[in-house]
Amino acid sequence: MQRYFISPEQVEGEQFVIRGDDVHHIRRVMRFRPGDQLIACDGEGTDYIGELMEGTGNEVTCRILRREPSAGEPGLQVTLAQSLPKGDKWELVLQKGTELGATSFLPFTSRRTVVKWDQAKAEKRRARWERILKEAAEQSHRGRIPTVSPVTDWNGLLKAITGAELALIAYEGGGEPLSAVLARKTPSHLLLIVGPEGGWEEEEVRQAQEAGAVPVSLGARILRTETAAVAMIACAMFANGEMGGETV
């Protein structure tokens, strides 16, 4: 069943209203007609199974058939912090990370970050990122749309590490196996950190450790930055029993 996100204010008694770009998708792409059913999620953990009633202008109204808790939200909250990669790699990470259950994303710049961040284009790029998050959340039946923070610098990342319940930094130079760390600690909120295409400088890893991050290994193979990001999220979710397995 097709899924859309709405705000709680769009729920009115036994009806909800869908507005904006989703109306075009409902009418022109899905070609829904009165009587067809769809799911609307309020972004706060409740799904509304609705029956299309009517549409006027830039909105459609649906009758609520039943309410259900959103089943797609993991118990573990994961923030992925990644040194901003070039090209469309970051967009791939946003999409796949959302599908796997990440709660939020924190892009940052480090010494070997290849991308030259253009602040003048920041608003336009973030709007595109948020659209990718919304579409991925709808596709994967999430109960909430993940958030993406403004791009921060190295000091901003260190501050995030200091405030984290548990921060793990993927380090090709060595570290404990990720699964071993998660077997000892079961945080409710986890900060995962992935470096740039060119790898970390040792000084950066040292500073991250001093701020409280734990270096971890993803195995004997060297992964691309976008692969490492997806792998870390998947490993964390599996260790927490969020992917059909048992907790480690």
Side-chain angles (χ1 to χ4, degrees), residues 116-187:
K116 303 302 180 185
W117 181 245
D118 186 351
Q119 193 61 38
K121 299 179 181 178
E123 185 174 343
K124 184 176 180 179
R125 289 190 179 181
R126 282 201 66 202
R128 176 174 172 79
W129 296 347
E130 288 170 354
R131 184 167 64 253
I132 290 170
L133 293 173
K134 177 178 179 293
E135 291 173 355
E138 289 174 342
Q139 182 275 323
S140 56
H141 282 212
R142 293 286 301 272
R144 292 177 170 82
I145 302 174
T147 59
V148 57
S149 300
V151 178
T152 190
D153 59 14
W154 181 248
N155 287 331
L157 175 67
L158 293 179
K159 186 179 295 185
I161 294 173
T162 301
E165 182 180 353
L166 176 61
L168 306 179
I169 180 170
Y171 182 39
E172 65 274 16
E176 289 189 78
L178 177 61
S179 58
V181 176
L182 293 177
R184 293 199 312 270
K185 301 179 181 181
T186 53

Side-chain angles (χ1 to χ4, degrees), residues 166-242:
L166 176 61
L168 306 179
I169 180 170
Y171 182 39
E172 65 274 16
E176 289 189 78
L178 177 61
S179 58
V181 176
L182 293 177
R184 293 199 312 270
K185 301 179 181 181
T186 53
S188 58
H189 192 176
L190 182 62
L191 175 64
L192 303 176
I193 308 164
V194 178
E197 283 96 336
W200 296 111
E201 291 192 0
E202 290 186 11
E203 174 67 12
E204 291 175 321
V205 177
R206 184 187 65 78
Q207 290 177 352
Q209 283 185 275
E210 290 177 350
V214 179
V216 295
S217 168
L218 297 176
R221 294 157 298 283
I222 300 298
L223 306 180
R224 290 180 179 272
T225 182
E226 68 273 23
T227 307
V230 173
M232 284 192 85
I233 297 172
C235 287
M237 290 298 175
F238 182 81
N240 201 56
E242 303 285 355

Side-chain angles (χ1 to χ4, degrees), residues 1-231:
M1 196 179 300
Q2 186 64 37
R3 187 180 189 84
Y4 300 93
F5 277 93
I6 60 176
S7 67
E9 292 73 25
Q10 289 171 251
V11 180
E12 303 167 355
E14 294 306 309
Q15 299 178 355
F16 61 81
V17 178
I18 297 177
R19 303 185 178 96
D21 293 340
D22 287 336
V23 174
H24 172 79
H25 189 267
I26 289 171
R27 290 175 175 164
R28 305 302 180 190
V29 179
M30 300 303 297
R31 298 186 182 278
F32 283 155
R33 296 290 182 266
D36 289 340
Q37 295 183 12
L38 52 80
I39 301 173
C41 180
D42 64 4
E44 296 184 352
T46 299
D47 288 348
Y48 299 87
I49 290 76
E51 180 182 79
L52 190 65
M53 296 171 58
E54 59 184 13
T56 57
N58 198 34
E59 66 178 41
V60 294
T61 301
C62 298
R63 179 169 64 91
I64 297 174
L65 301 178
R66 62 184 185 275
R67 296 168 168 81
E68 298 176 351
S70 300
E73 284 306 296
L76 176 65
Q77 295 186 56
V78 171
T79 295
L80 175 74
Q82 182 159 22
S83 181
L84 200 61
K86 62 184 178 181
D88 59 358
K89 294 177 181 178
W90 176 238
E91 295 181 359
L92 175 70
V93 169
L94 291 175
Q95 182 188 67
K96 301 309 175 186
T98 297
E99 292 176 21
L100 287 167
T103 305
S104 56
F105 298 86
L106 175 61
F108 65 90
T109 56
S110 54
R111 293 180 186 176
R112 295 180 181 173
T113 299
V114 176
V115 174
K116 303 302 180 185
W117 181 245
D118 186 351
Q119 193 61 38
K121 299 179 181 178
E123 185 174 343
K124 184 176 180 179
R125 289 190 179 181
R126 282 201 66 202
R128 176 174 172 79
W129 296 347
E130 288 170 354
R131 184 167 64 253
I132 290 170
L133 293 173
K134 177 178 179 293
E135 291 173 355
E138 289 174 342
Q139 182 275 323
S140 56
H141 282 212
R142 293 286 301 272
R144 292 177 170 82
I145 302 174
T147 59
V148 57
S149 300
V151 178
T152 190
D153 59 14
W154 181 248
N155 287 331
L157 175 67
L158 293 179
K159 186 179 295 185
I161 294 173
T162 301
E165 182 180 353
L166 176 61
L168 306 179
I169 180 170
Y171 182 39
E172 65 274 16
E176 289 189 78
L178 177 61
S179 58
V181 176
L182 293 177
R184 293 199 312 270
K185 301 179 181 181
T186 53
S188 58
H189 192 176
L190 182 62
L191 175 64
L192 303 176
I193 308 164
V194 178
E197 283 96 336
W200 296 111
E201 291 192 0
E202 290 186 11
E203 174 67 12
E204 291 175 321
V205 177
R206 184 187 65 78
Q207 290 177 352
Q209 283 185 275
E210 290 177 350
V214 179
V216 295
S217 168
L218 297 176
R221 294 157 298 283
I222 300 298
L223 306 180
R224 290 180 179 272
T225 182
E226 68 273 23
T227 307
V230 173

